Amino acid sequence: MDDTNRKIVGLLLRDGRASYAEIGEAVGLSAPAVKRRVDRMQARGEISGFTVRVSPEQLGWRIEAYVEVFCRGNISPAALERDFGSIPEVVRVDTVTGEADALVQIMADSMADVERIVESFRVGARVDKTRTAIVMSRVIDRPARADAGSV
């Protein structure tokens, strides 16, 4: 990825609704040239999609938690996806290094919901134990590599 593409990606990370013309003005290209670059980055998998950021509280998600999941034996990422993918409150699952096998981020309406969700993890035959941390406040919340597009 060249410097111009890095700048384009950085600008899109900051504002995914920015027009090709706005991005082009910032990086010194025409709107069609920016579109061609974005299309090529998508085709190569460098840009995997576009999304919106929402306010969790506005969606009724008042509690955010991270759950360390400790499994019996080895567990594959595909098995984690099967086990947790159908739970709507699960917003992210990562395999991790260390003692835990996975880190699961959940968003819930209440502590009762957090308890219900975590208990549902433990019902699975593969989960030996869990350890949960509740988010008290979000201090920094930005897309990855937001500095990549500094112009």
Side-chain angles (χ1 to χ4, degrees):
M1 184 180 291
D2 67 15
D3 286 341
T4 301
N5 281 0
R6 281 188 185 84
K7 289 177 183 177
I8 291 169
V9 168
L11 292 164
L12 286 170
L13 282 170
R14 275 188 252 143
D15 181 5
R17 292 183 54 155
S19 70
Y20 294 133
E22 292 168 329
I23 294 169
E25 185 176 318
V27 300
L29 294 173
S30 68
V34 170
K35 182 184 183 321
R36 282 191 301 275
R37 283 176 171 262
V38 169
D39 289 346
R40 283 195 300 261
M41 285 188 280
Q42 284 182 285
R44 290 190 302 259
E46 296 165 349
I47 295 176
S48 60
F50 296 87
T51 188
V52 298
R53 293 178 61 189
V54 298
S55 170
E57 298 82 17
Q58 295 299 318
L59 295 176
W61 294 337
R62 294 180 189 82
I63 299 175
E64 180 176 7
Y66 290 89
V67 182
E68 289 180 289
V69 177
F70 301 81
C71 299
R72 290 183 199 93
N74 293 330
I75 189 161
S76 69
L80 290 168
E81 186 174 1
R82 274 193 313 274
D83 292 350
F84 300 123
S86 64
I87 304 169
E89 294 89 351
V90 170
V91 296
R92 184 177 177 127
V93 178
D94 297 299
T95 57
V96 295
T97 61
E99 293 179 35
D101 294 291
L103 185 63
V104 180
Q105 180 184 13
I106 61 174
M107 303 292 282
D109 184 48
S110 67
M111 283 303 295
D113 285 339
V114 171
E115 185 174 21
R116 175 185 52 78
I117 295 160
V118 172
E119 286 300 321
S120 76
F121 294 175
R122 293 186 194 140
V123 169
R126 295 175 235 226
V127 175
D128 188 37
K129 70 176 184 172
T130 60
R131 182 171 30 220
T132 303
I134 303 296
V135 174
M136 293 172 52
S137 63
R138 187 174 292 180
V139 179
I140 297 174
D141 184 17
R142 62 178 167 224
R145 298 283 318 254
D147 63 333
S150 298
V151 287

